[in-house]
Amino acid sequence: MSIPQSIADRFEIEALRGELSDAVMMRDYDRAASLFTPAAAMRWPHIDKEFVGRDEIRAGIEWGQGLWEFFVQNVHPGTIRLNGDSAVGRAYVQEFGRMRDGGSHANHAVYHDRYQRTPDGWRFAERVYEVRYLDSTPLAGSPLPALPVPVRLLPGE
């Protein structure tokens, strides 16, 4: 693999990870599901949940987001190991929010990923979420009111 292709692949995979975080934060479940291969798996072992295929992944993300009153996720770059049209990687996560049942949640976690190059670009083939630290101490703050009109990244979006 050429160095320019390797750089491009790493850039595209990092963009894929950012796109998924944005889709989840914006509760755009169709966009989130489209970032996985048709037979992909998303696993959340800390709560014994597994979703296989885009439809289950979409439903799983929507179900998970439905539990939150508010939710903030920060994903930090990790490793990417390329192998032709597939790759593996890790990304590091910090999340916090308040659940609709009143419970609070803050954690640090690791995404263990497998990626696949497709005709539509790089997609997740598998994403496993490993929680490394969890704090359920009640959050002292509160969310601000939502903006009346969503901020658009590009004209026409």
Side-chain angles (χ1 to χ4, degrees):
M1 176 182 303
S2 72
I3 291 174
Q5 184 62 56
S6 174
I7 292 168
D9 288 342
R10 290 172 187 281
F11 183 83
E12 290 173 19
I13 290 169
E14 198 58 55
L16 172 69
R17 297 193 295 203
E19 187 75 17
L20 183 58
S21 291
D22 184 70
V24 171
M25 290 282 298
M26 297 296 106
R27 298 179 183 228
D28 187 344
Y29 308 120
D30 291 334
R31 179 167 50 118
S34 77
L35 301 173
F36 290 83
T37 63
M42 184 174 66
R43 295 181 173 86
W44 299 339
H46 66 292
I47 58 171
D48 198 30
K49 295 286 184 185
E50 176 177 282
F51 310 97
V52 178
R54 284 182 176 157
D55 290 344
E56 281 188 23
I57 289 169
R58 186 204 183 284
I61 293 170
E62 185 172 8
W63 168 80
Q65 285 299 298
L67 300 174
W68 296 93
E69 176 188 345
F70 69 91
F71 168 82
V72 177
Q73 179 185 70
N74 295 295
V75 180
H76 307 278
T79 62
I80 297 171
R81 302 264 193 279
L82 300 167
N83 186 14
D85 289 339
S86 64
V88 295
R90 284 186 297 274
Y92 304 96
V93 185
Q94 180 182 15
E95 295 177 327
F96 77 94
R98 186 169 20 252
M99 310 301 280
R100 293 193 188 282
D101 68 5
S104 295
H105 184 96
N107 74 41
H108 294 271
V110 180
Y111 281 127
H112 300 273
D113 295 331
R114 286 188 309 111
Y115 314 101
Q116 186 68 45
R117 187 191 318 270
T118 74
D120 296 320
W122 286 95
R123 296 292 184 261
F124 291 96
E126 180 182 49
R127 181 156 249 209
V128 179
Y129 188 64
E130 178 193 2
V131 175
R132 295 270 181 103
Y133 172 82
L134 176 62
D135 181 356
S136 58
T137 304
L139 298 174
S142 62
L144 296 175
L147 295 172
V149 176
V151 175
R152 303 292 181 198
L153 297 176
L154 300 172
E157 190 176 278

